[in-house]
Amino acid sequence: MLAYDFMRTAFAAAGIAGVLAGLVGWFVVVRGQSFAGHALAHIGFAGAAGALWLGAPPLAGLIVAALAGAGWIGALADRAQGRDVAIGLVLSVSLGLGLLFLHLVSGSASGVTALLFGNVLGVSHATLMTLAAMAVVCLLVLGVIARPLLFASLMPDNAAARGVRVGAVGTVFLLVVALATASCAQVTGVLLVFTLMVAPPATALELGLPPRAGAALSAVLAVACAWGGLLLAWITDAPVTFWISVLCAVMFGGGRLLRAVSPSPGSAASK
Amino acid sequence: MTAPAFSLAGVTLRVGGRDILRNATFESRTGQFVALLGPNGAGKTTLLRALVGLVPTRTGQIRVLGASPRAARGRVGYMPQARALTVPSLSGADYLRAALHGARWGLTLRRDTHEIDRVLDLVSARDIAPRPIGTLSGGERQRLALAQALLGRPELLLLDEPLASLDPARVGDVVALTRDLRDALGLTVLFCAHDINPLIGTADAVLYVANATARLGPVEAVITTESLSALYGVPVEVVRARGHVFVMAGTVPAAGGECCAHG
């Protein structure tokens, strides 16, 4: 299987996307921003489709649109009320716009499927290099903001009182989410970025792991799901993204079951 | 006399187009246990947030521990009003570790377990710290929140409604714990509450906020018919009975309305 160049590239791309989705996703779930993350993928879709129409590389359009969306959602942060409605509206308009752009391009059904559901087997070397560069940028920024971000996510009022610029840190984080979304979309497509970014961290949190161990496990699980999906697709000839979504769901269910069967020592002591 | 722990000089605070304080001047002495009282929406929380530099003053000057509120941040322990839990599966110790040096950039491998253990011991919460925070009772969470405020050895504690949603038995525990911490660590405490009664005998002074005015003084001097009537701008009657204080608006101590705020 690994004798083929496209499979080696696919495994590399899936690994990069998995690490990024697992680590960034841990914060997304802790901050309760799953919906915002989901919306960024759709805004990115409009960007990618627009880029196709203009004859530009779709990944570039995806990144630009997702980053712009992240800046916009970050600016909304002060107004908690009506925020989900605003995000939801932009999400649907983005999908509509994306559809229009694809209609204008016309006759590239495979391109549409690749955008929506991913085409990890078709990742080029150049794209792989872009993914790697994006991952490095994301992880560096995440490393720098990790502590204030965690503080602000768990205890926003306390963090602000200790001098954390909660709004600014949140906006920088959304930009990181946008980049992570764009690279994940190369593997799972924009519609299913969610699986890799939410299921692994949710599983790690379900197990009651502290932040460092939880984020690390989340990354390991995300890579495992991405690689497992490639492997199963190779064996069964079903789409990679189908298997990734199935593995993620099974993993989350397994995590819940594991906790139900053996409660953590802490919660057992309280009973 | 020592320098005031916090002082306001001619301070006006305005939030959402409404004056919370207008030209307020008062100061607290170091080591005092000050009860912060006032009707709902009077701006108790806003005042506490101003003391940690989160609400700008329109006029006047706030000094905290002899410095500006922002400069004093590292020496002030702030416990905000309890919010809904963000991540119930994380432990109390995880929350404390996130708060300790949480304002610093970058990652660190060093773990200051000593400081975490110190604050946990201060509130006798070592045994509950490893448990998921979602499994703790309101009183246990309140103790951990107090531990969080004690990180970094503050000199001034600002506590926003630590008695909210506690059952009566726990109310006394939290007040006694706060008083003991004040005595042991030489802290100044500003304790925001709905009701003066659990704090009678503990509070050295009362800071009463109403109608954009504030008055700080001994309990007997501030919680009086004359003083509160002046603060509210309407007749208010204060009745003392069996060591309790009842504040009644107007002449009708009826159910509902403005009555019985401190019963």
Side-chain angles (χ1 to χ4, degrees):
Chain A
M1 174 172 72
L2 290 177
Y4 294 95
D5 188 47
F6 74 91
M7 275 314 269
R8 287 199 300 273
T9 311
F11 268 91
I16 291 171
V19 169
L20 210 48
L23 292 178
V24 174
W26 191 86
F27 284 98
V28 169
V29 173
V30 161
R31 293 171 65 77
Q33 286 183 322
S34 308
F35 184 53
H38 189 57
L40 285 180
H42 287 75
I43 296 170
F45 166 70
L52 269 181
W53 177 49
L54 294 171
L59 179 56
L62 184 60
I63 294 170
V64 169
L67 284 175
W72 172 71
I73 296 176
L76 277 183
D78 295 336
R79 299 185 293 132
Q81 211 155 28
R83 192 181 152 185
D84 276 4
V85 173
I87 293 175
L89 279 174
V90 170
L91 184 160
S92 22
V93 170
S94 300
L95 269 183
L97 266 180
L99 184 66
L100 172 69
F101 289 142
L102 290 175
H103 171 75
L104 293 174
V105 176
S106 76
S108 124
S110 70
V112 179
T113 313
L115 267 182
L116 290 177
F117 297 106
N119 181 21
V120 67
L121 299 177
V123 170
S124 67
H125 277 282
T127 306
L128 185 64
M129 288 302 118
T130 313
L131 290 184
M134 280 157 65
V136 169
V137 170
C138 279
L139 295 182
L140 278 179
V141 175
L142 196 60
V144 169
I145 65 169
R147 277 200 287 176
L149 179 66
L150 181 62
F151 193 11
S153 307
L154 296 179
M155 297 161 275
D157 300 314
N158 307 62
R162 293 267 176 181
V164 175
R165 295 183 58 194
V166 176
V169 169
T171 300
V172 170
F173 175 66
L174 277 171
L175 295 173
V176 171
V177 175
L179 279 185
T181 302
S183 53
C184 246
Q186 303 309 303
V187 178
T188 63
V190 289
L191 287 182
L192 287 163
V193 163
F194 221 48
T195 35
L196 269 190
M197 241 201 239
V198 172
T203 307
L205 283 167
E206 191 69 30
L207 295 174
L209 289 173
R212 277 164 214 236
L217 177 68
S218 167
V220 169
L221 290 177
V223 172
C225 285
W227 282 355
L230 274 172
L231 185 67
L232 286 168
W234 175 265
I235 295 168
T236 62
D237 206 32
V240 180
T241 308
F242 160 72
W243 280 118
I244 293 179
S245 64
V246 168
L247 285 176
C248 282
V250 167
M251 176 191 66
F252 182 71
R256 287 209 88 133
L257 209 63
L258 197 65
R259 206 187 60 152
V261 173
S262 61
S264 67
S267 57
S270 70
K271 297 284 153 61
Chain B
M1 199 180 97
T2 46
F6 59 88
S7 64
L8 276 72
V11 167
T12 301
L13 295 176
R14 173 170 266 241
V15 175
R18 189 169 69 93
D19 281 348
I20 298 297
L21 280 180
R22 211 174 293 122
N23 200 22
T25 300
F26 55 82
E27 63 177 48
S28 86
R29 288 200 305 280
T30 301
Q32 266 186 328
F33 190 117
V34 182
L36 173 56
L37 300 168
N40 281 335
K44 302 187 290 283
T45 295
T46 303
L47 175 58
L48 291 178
R49 287 170 57 81
L51 288 170
V52 286
L54 294 178
V55 179
T57 54
R58 272 172 77 84
T59 66
Q61 196 186 32
I62 300 181
R63 303 290 286 172
V64 177
L65 302 167
S68 75
R70 277 163 181 270
R73 271 175 178 162
R75 295 151 67 204
V76 175
Y78 174 53
M79 173 178 159
Q81 242 168 311
R83 283 201 192 208
L85 286 178
T86 39
V87 189
S89 66
L90 291 179
S91 73
D94 291 332
Y95 272 78
L96 284 173
R97 277 194 285 269
L100 181 65
H101 307 314
R104 292 189 193 164
W105 302 109
L107 293 165
T108 175
L109 288 174
R110 194 175 61 87
R111 284 199 157 163
D112 197 347
T113 51
H114 187 258
E115 176 64 2
I116 303 280
D117 289 342
R118 184 186 74 88
V119 294
L120 285 174
D121 285 340
L122 283 173
V123 299
S124 323
R126 271 237 211 182
D127 53 330
I128 57 174
R131 284 162 39 186
I133 202 143
T135 66
L136 302 180
S137 71
E140 289 169 331
R141 269 182 227 160
Q142 213 66 301
R143 255 151 67 205
L144 288 172
L146 199 52
Q148 182 278 138
L150 292 165
L151 286 172
R153 299 177 182 269
E155 296 157 55
L156 170 65
L157 272 192
L158 306 174
L159 310 178
D160 199 349
E161 298 276 11
L163 304 182
S165 71
L166 290 184
D167 53 70
R170 294 279 157 268
V171 163
D173 291 351
V174 170
V175 173
L177 175 61
T178 312
R179 183 196 58 215
D180 293 347
L181 287 171
R182 189 270 310 258
D183 295 343
L185 304 173
L187 305 168
T188 307
V189 175
L190 183 56
F191 193 110
C192 171
H194 251 76
D195 177 10
I196 179 68
N197 286 301
L199 298 170
I200 285 177
T202 300
D204 306 308
V206 168
L207 173 55
Y208 210 103
V209 183
N211 262 345
T213 49
R215 198 173 157 206
L216 193 152
V219 181
E220 316 80 63
V222 176
I223 311 277
T224 64
T225 298
E226 298 73 34
S227 149
L228 289 192
S229 295
L231 271 173
Y232 278 92
V234 291
V236 171
E237 197 173 346
V238 174
V239 176
R240 282 158 207 273
R242 296 187 192 169
H244 289 271
V245 178
F246 299 89
V247 177
M248 289 174 285
T251 51
V252 189
E258 275 289 303
C259 151
C260 310
H262 299 283

